[in-house]
Amino acid sequence: MRRTALLACATLLTGLLPLAANAAQAADDPAPVPVDRFEGEVPFADPPAGGLFTWGSDTDDHPALTLRARPDAPEGDKVLAGTYDISGWGGFTHDFAFAEPAHDWSAHKGVRLWWEGHGTGRSIAFELKDGGANGEASELWTTSFADDFTGWKQIELPFSAFTYRTDYQPVGGIDQILGLTETWGYALTLPVGLKGEFSMDGVELYGRADQSRRVSVTTDAAVHPVEEGGTATVGLTLGTLGGAPTDEPVTVSYETAATGGAEPGKDFTPVSGTVTFPAGTPSGTTRTLRVSTLRDDAAEHAETVAVRLTVTGAKAPAEDPQVVIDAHGLPYLDPKLPVAKRVADLLSRMSLEEKAGQMTQAERGAVTAEPGDIAAQGLGSLLSGGGSTPTPNTPEAWARMIDGFQLRAQAGRFQIPLIYGVDAVHGHNNLVGATVMPHNIGIGAARDPGLARRTGAVTAAEVRATGVPWDFAPCLCVTRDERWGRSYESFGEDPALVESMETVIQGLQGRADGSDLDRDDKVLATAKHFVGDGGTAFGSSTTGSYTIDQGVTKVTREELEAVHLAPYQGAVDRGVGTVMPSYSSLDLIGDGRGPVKMHARADMINGVLKDRMGFDGFVISDWAAIDQIPGDLASDVRTSVNAGLDMIMVPYAYKDFRTTLIAEVRAGRIAESRIDDAVARILTQKFRLGLFENPYADTSGAAAVGSAAHRAVAREAAAKSQVLLKNDGGLLPLRKSQKVYVAGSNADDIGNQTGGWTITWQGASGDITPGTTVLEGLREAGGDVTWSKDASAPTAGHDVGVVVVGETPYAEGMGDVGNGHDLELSAVDKAAVDTVCAAMKCVVLIVSGRPQLLGDRLGDIDALVASWLPGTEGAGVADVLYGRRPFTGQLPVTWPKSEAQLPINVGDSAYDPQYPYGWGLTTGGKVPGGGAATLRALGVAAAAAERAGADGAGRALAAKARLIVQAKAGQHITAALAKPFAEAEHLVLTGRYGAAVAKLTVAYRAA
């Protein structure tokens, strides 16, 4: 899914604040203080220098800036002008120089600027950088104004209108107080999806600060649910800048008003009054007011009572609180009834507007400024994109955030809870401190279905403990080309291998009938990306600079069935709760349709997935994926919904989508029966998850997040994922008596070894989350270790070198080969390998999401290990290096000799790789002797095991045969050996053990 840490920037604040323009200056106000006149005094320069710079989700999203002479410039002769065409997020910043003191803006009422309007009606976010060490390590506070006028207009932004950004903070928050005594600059975020230009001038500070900027009144919650007949208590808290007592009194007048079906005197007792905070009141002082509801014993939906607040002497709450009298007495609320009956009852009561809301999923950042939309739009779901996290990024903050969103949903008529989703694709990878598992490519290498299930169980427990009940995992893609930037999200190139790892679904969800979903350690799983995303042709992508991701999979129907569809039937049989279609297009040879986006393929979603396979969960679209269907929004909506999509991920365009969906149904272009089917599927999973009874986070498992027990599972997975490709002279396992020289860019970098989709969408190098690096694991193992990242330290006197090299993080098409990436080691890594391997016997570990090309260096390497992306537990890598565990991993994909061979996969007619699919040496015992005679005996026994259904015995017998072939071949792997060897591994995974040993016998003869 297309995500990024700053995705919420672009349309974070869609609510438009009423702004006073050209307001008369009060007589006692100080003169305005210029910030930017744009006459050339501000340079274009990146931090740490002071100046203007642009930014965006990719290079195409950076606006272009210039200082342009204008005869109509509001101030001086020039203005700051620019053009933009933004698809993700983008804008520009004026940072003050790091080397100079921060600016003090605290004496002023606000900041204002001249803006040339174009009447687009779009929102422009204006952000302040407050406190912290510098402009890139400060708190972010934001407001917005609307481009709903034409010509020049002076926009005033009072500091009282700025709110603390809850979707993203670069340093996790400092004091969460807009002090303005250390201001480091400002930024503007430009509209998304609109090609345009802008001009601005004359940024200045205006007015005099008053108490309302320094003092605020907040409520304890915006929504206060209460059972009928109960009393709601609303808390009012006084807060002051810096914690100083108030200089003047603050009063809060309140009165109740019937706004949501509740009738005064019948459903609640009207109240009004005034709460006073006298002068000298300490910051943090809380007062309460109470609203009593009345019981009438009639079954009814929820009713709302507004509490109107008028604040004098302080900044008022962002919105008035609501008291919600809970729905009661209706059949859908009865947990004793079968889920199907509860769904039918609730569905029968819902309006088309409410049904459309249930089919709508928004990004959390999009509703941060307008959280009331959750109830007003009846949203069915929210998600966190990659890196879209609360501040601080802790389990407790996640739970508070999601509880806050769920509380908003309680203001809806039927109080239908949200279902919140995240991409926990290798552990709860958005959460700092979570247990990060090896990526799927490593789990496939481990060849242990039971372990795969346990990694899923750990992930589920940590995800649910933070209040998230839905995981967009696992990826059941069958990767067929290592140039794909998502290769590591696949368990491997063989559909049989992918199917064998689907035990992870049970780890995530529990029993196939969904009866475990309401447990506090289980989550709803998602099989993705349906179908063929791993088979896209290189060069077929039309998404930005991508070369293969989101491209076209061109296959025969037979190949589609055998390779790409095969894993999905198993997932359906395992009860997977949701399925996500692929961004890619499917071009079925012979059907005459050409490439068709998967989100538009009714034949595959309705016809194959739902009808033929019997999938009874719901289909969720990928991130804004319907936008890629040809046509306008209305066409995209009806095409995708009619194709079988049940919930649409429209991160920021949720209002437009919902409105359009309703219009398409009313126009008869989408049948209401299709809507009812979609909503019934969604509600079924919400009932199964127990969200109606327990919508809020159960944090009883939060203490286990990142626990020793969970990390032990990840450590085992890391160890079992290591594939020993070469081991000349039995160099491995290492001995603790040896002096070991460790080098390489990936030896001591937790970010590199966890890869993409870790803390942020793309991941990042460096110390991004707690864990143990490979170097730390080696040291903890007790060895005598010398560390030199670039191999510049003296090499003399060491017995063996361990060089850990490979890739830096990437995700999705950003990691496609040809999109700034290749399959070669970096020049620095090559130099480290050359230096160490020339000086001593050496082990080279490749930490990467896919095979790397070694060329003629392989001959200089004594031992070679494919480490994949092992996650946070580098000690697991050390475990196999030092022999605490044996190497048992096998290649989940073919290791090519050159990029020219790609794509290369098991079963190809021409197959001559560096290492074949299934290759993997072991340090776990002796290779059976006897050669051909032993193979004949193993073949007879394997065939017998197959007939008897003794899978464990069959696999063990084939494994012995594989070791015999590897021992004879050594590193002399020919095409005649590689092809039957790889095909034998596929046969093992499909339970044909006798045939597998027969293939291995052919490989043995070719060795």
Side-chain angles (χ1 to χ4, degrees):
M1 300 172 65
R2 196 162 175 241
R3 312 281 192 274
T4 185
L6 299 180
L7 282 171
C9 284
T11 49
L12 171 65
L13 295 179
T14 52
L16 308 181
L17 299 170
L19 302 173
N22 297 311
Q25 183 178 323
D28 59 347
D29 277 355
V33 176
V35 177
D36 287 332
R37 299 185 66 244
F38 301 121
E39 299 299 307
E41 78 281 8
V42 181
F44 294 100
D46 291 336
L52 290 159
F53 63 94
T54 63
W55 38 264
S57 51
D58 56 44
T59 54
D60 293 338
D61 285 342
H62 286 241
L65 302 181
T66 186
L67 296 177
R68 181 178 300 163
R70 288 273 296 264
D72 62 343
E75 294 188 3
D77 300 318
K78 298 178 181 178
V79 301
L80 178 68
T83 58
Y84 61 92
D85 184 5
I86 300 168
S87 60
W89 47 268
F92 61 93
T93 293
H94 180 188
D95 263 9
F96 305 139
F98 290 8
E100 299 174 6
H103 296 207
D104 187 346
W105 291 5
S106 62
H108 300 275
K109 180 179 182 179
V111 61
R112 64 190 179 195
L113 64 135
W114 286 93
W115 186 266
E116 186 178 30
H118 294 280
T120 66
R122 302 297 287 274
S123 178
I124 293 95
F126 189 99
E127 187 169 86
L128 294 177
K129 299 188 170 192
D130 181 69
N134 53 60
E136 299 307 290
S138 60
E139 281 188 344
L140 306 181
W141 291 75
T142 189
T143 188
S144 68
F145 61 92
D147 181 21
D148 57 0
F149 56 92
T150 57
W152 287 106
K153 180 178 180 181
Q154 192 174 41
I155 305 295
E156 292 192 347
L157 305 172
F159 293 133
S160 59
F162 284 79
T163 58
Y164 179 77
R165 275 190 61 177
T166 57
D167 63 305
Y168 171 72
Q169 289 287 340
V171 292
I174 300 166
D175 58 8
Q176 300 187 30
I177 295 173
L178 182 58
L180 295 171
T181 57
E182 292 182 306
T183 304
W184 288 103
Y186 64 85
L188 277 84
T189 300
L190 297 167
V192 175
L194 177 72
K195 188 174 182 178
E197 57 184 28
F198 69 91
S199 296
M200 64 181 287
D201 201 10
V203 182
E204 65 184 18
L205 305 177
Y206 75 94
R208 183 186 306 280
D210 56 24
Q211 177 169 287
S212 65
R213 200 197 69 74
R214 295 180 291 105
V215 181
S216 63
V217 173
T218 58
T219 58
D220 54 348
V223 178
H224 295 75
V226 61
E227 291 184 3
E228 186 185 53
T231 298
T233 301
V234 179
L236 304 172
T237 300
L238 184 80
T240 66
L241 182 64
T246 55
D247 296 327
E248 303 169 15
V250 174
T251 60
V252 182
S253 298
Y254 62 89
E255 62 176 346
T256 52
T259 58
E263 298 181 30
K266 175 185 175 184
D267 297 304
F268 69 99
T269 301
V271 292
S272 61
T274 300
V275 172
T276 301
F277 297 92
T281 298
S283 181
T285 299
T286 297
R287 300 282 189 266
T288 59
L289 58 93
R290 291 175 172 79
V291 178
S292 297
T293 67
L294 303 174
R295 184 182 297 279
D296 61 14
D297 293 325
E300 54 193 348
H301 59 70
E303 299 167 322
T304 302
V305 182
V307 182
R308 306 295 193 200
L309 301 179
T310 303
V311 179
T312 303
K315 181 181 178 181
E319 57 187 311
D320 288 330
Q322 301 175 74
V323 173
V324 178
I325 305 170
D326 288 338
H328 53 277
L330 300 174
Y332 78 89
L333 295 169
D334 185 355
K336 296 178 181 178
L337 288 178
V339 166
K341 288 189 175 182
R342 299 179 74 182
V343 169
D345 177 68
L346 178 52
L347 193 64
S348 70
R349 300 174 186 278
M350 296 171 68
S351 67
L352 174 59
E353 288 76 8
E354 287 163 329
K355 293 172 184 176
Q358 285 301 298
M359 295 174 66
T360 307
Q361 184 184 62
E363 216 284 335
R364 58 175 286 278
V367 298
T368 299
E370 295 183 272
D373 277 354
I374 292 172
Q377 300 285 319
L379 297 180
S381 180
L382 296 181
L383 82 149
S384 278
S388 177
T389 65
T391 302
N393 189 355
T394 63
E396 295 77 18
W398 274 89
R400 284 196 302 271
M401 174 187 73
I402 294 169
D403 281 357
F405 291 138
Q406 290 287 19
L407 190 62
R408 293 286 185 164
Q410 294 298 299
R413 225 178 26 136
F414 298 112
Q415 299 182 300
I416 303 173
L418 295 163
I419 179 169
Y420 199 100
V422 297
D423 287 276
V425 298
H426 63 140
H428 197 355
N429 42 257
N430 281 303
L431 172 64
V432 172
T435 306
V436 178
M437 300 292 172
H439 269 294
N440 283 353
I441 196 76
I443 300 299
R447 295 295 203 280
D448 187 338
L451 177 62
R453 180 187 55 76
R454 287 189 286 131
T455 63
V458 168
T459 299
E462 297 199 0
V463 168
R464 195 72 182 252
T466 60
V468 178
W470 185 14
D471 185 3
F472 304 130
C475 185
L476 301 184
C477 46
V478 182
T479 179
R480 306 293 282 180
D481 192 330
E482 278 63 62
R483 291 170 292 189
W484 187 34
R486 303 191 83 140
S487 292
Y488 63 76
E489 293 189 52
S490 173
F491 292 112
E493 70 185 36
D494 182 356
L497 175 58
V498 175
E499 289 180 74
S500 72
M501 294 297 110
E502 289 179 359
T503 51
V504 70
I505 294 171
Q506 260 58 69
L508 293 167
Q509 289 196 169
R511 285 175 286 191
D513 63 1
S515 60
D516 289 336
L517 283 172
D518 60 352
R519 285 172 38 176
D520 63 3
D521 62 350
K522 294 300 174 192
V523 294
L524 197 67
T526 306
K528 65 183 189 185
H529 302 93
F530 187 84
V531 58
D533 53 336
T536 49
F538 188 80
S540 67
S541 181
T542 57
T543 300
S545 57
Y546 294 8
T547 60
I548 187 167
D549 188 35
Q550 302 186 20
V552 179
T553 298
K554 187 172 184 177
V555 289
T556 64
R557 186 168 293 278
E558 292 74 22
E559 186 180 356
L560 178 70
E561 293 282 351
V563 176
H564 299 291
L565 270 174
Y568 286 93
Q569 184 65 65
V572 170
D573 293 342
R574 290 181 178 276
V576 72
T578 61
V579 170
M580 180 182 291
S582 176
Y583 278 118
S584 58
S585 298
L586 177 63
D587 186 355
L588 268 180
I589 297 171
D591 74 352
R593 300 178 65 186
V596 179
K597 283 289 183 182
M598 273 306 308
H599 281 71
R601 291 211 68 133
D603 60 327
M604 301 304 300
I605 299 172
N606 283 330
V608 174
L609 178 65
K610 290 183 174 179
D611 294 342
R612 193 186 85 188
M613 292 185 176
F615 174 63
D616 64 359
F618 69 88
V619 177
I620 171 70
S621 84
D622 211 331
W623 179 277
I626 67 167
D627 295 348
Q628 295 189 11
I629 300 173
D632 59 13
L633 177 60
S635 174
D636 295 345
V637 170
R638 66 175 172 267
T639 299
S640 59
V641 173
N642 284 332
L645 269 68
D646 301 308
M647 181 182 284
I648 315 296
M649 190 185 295
V650 276
Y652 301 107
Y654 62 91
K655 291 181 182 178
D656 290 342
F657 165 77
R658 179 176 174 273
T659 299
T660 303
L661 177 60
I662 293 167
E664 287 297 296
V665 175
R666 293 233 161 95
R669 290 185 286 268
I670 300 175
E672 191 152 3
S673 60
R674 170 76 272 267
I675 302 299
D676 286 349
D677 172 62
V679 177
R681 289 168 177 268
I682 294 164
L683 293 176
T684 295
Q685 300 301 346
K686 290 187 176 185
F687 280 117
R688 286 177 173 172
L689 285 161
L691 294 176
F692 280 82
E693 287 70 52
N694 298 294
Y696 304 114
D698 182 343
T699 58
S700 58
V705 173
S707 66
H710 286 182
R711 290 182 183 274
V713 175
R715 179 172 180 168
E716 180 184 348
K720 288 185 174 180
S721 72
Q722 304 299 294
V723 180
L724 183 58
L725 299 173
K726 181 179 181 181
N727 193 24
D728 281 1
L731 182 58
L732 293 175
L734 303 173
R735 300 184 302 278
K736 292 183 181 179
S737 60
Q738 291 174 309
K739 291 186 176 180
V740 180
Y741 187 98
V742 181
S745 60
N746 286 353
D748 194 33
D749 194 308
I750 201 74
N752 287 357
Q753 79 182 42
T754 52
W757 285 110
T758 308
I759 309 307
T760 59
W761 174 39
Q762 291 292 316
S765 300
D767 191 18
I768 62 172
T769 193
T772 303
T773 66
V774 174
L775 174 65
E776 290 167 341
L778 290 169
R779 284 174 168 161
E780 290 175 8
D784 185 349
V785 172
T786 297
W787 161 237
S788 177
K789 182 176 182 177
D790 60 357
S792 60
T795 57
H798 294 88
D799 300 307
V800 62
V802 175
V803 192
V804 189
V805 294
E807 296 185 303
T808 53
Y810 55 80
E812 299 191 34
M814 301 293 283
D816 284 352
V817 167
N819 189 20
H821 295 268
D822 56 37
L823 298 180
E824 299 278 350
L825 297 179
S826 69
V828 171
D829 279 350
K830 289 176 180 177
V833 171
D834 292 346
T835 299
V836 176
C837 293
M840 66 193 81
K841 290 185 179 297
C842 68
V843 182
V844 173
L845 276 66
I846 308 291
V847 173
S848 65
R850 52 198 169 193
Q852 302 292 283
L853 303 174
L854 300 172
D856 55 10
R857 280 182 173 78
L858 185 57
D860 299 323
I861 296 170
D862 299 289
L864 178 65
V865 179
S867 286
W868 310 113
L869 297 169
T872 50
E873 306 315 301
V877 181
D879 285 342
V880 290
L881 291 177
Y882 273 107
R884 184 174 180 269
R885 289 182 182 271
F887 277 94
T888 57
Q890 295 175 250
L891 283 181
V893 294
T894 300
W895 198 284
K897 290 179 179 177
S898 69
E899 192 172 324
Q901 288 185 315
L902 299 175
I904 182 171
N905 296 285
V906 56
D908 288 354
S909 57
Y911 189 76
D912 185 21
Q914 190 81 66
Y915 295 103
Y917 168 72
W919 187 268
L921 308 178
T922 185
T923 53
K926 293 182 179 181
V927 175
T934 302
L935 283 172
R936 284 194 297 272
L938 289 171
V940 172
E946 180 180 338
R947 289 192 298 272
D951 291 328
R955 286 192 295 268
L957 291 163
K960 289 182 179 181
R962 178 173 56 84
L963 295 178
I964 292 170
V965 176
Q966 290 179 158
K968 184 181 180 186
Q971 293 293 297
H972 304 290
I973 302 170
T974 64
L977 179 149
K979 183 174 173 57
F981 185 96
E983 291 170 353
E985 179 62 16
H986 173 73
L987 290 167
V988 168
L989 288 163
T990 55
R992 291 172 285 174
Y993 310 114
V997 175
K999 284 283 187 182
L1000 289 167
T1001 302
V1002 174
Y1004 179 83
R1005 290 171 185 153

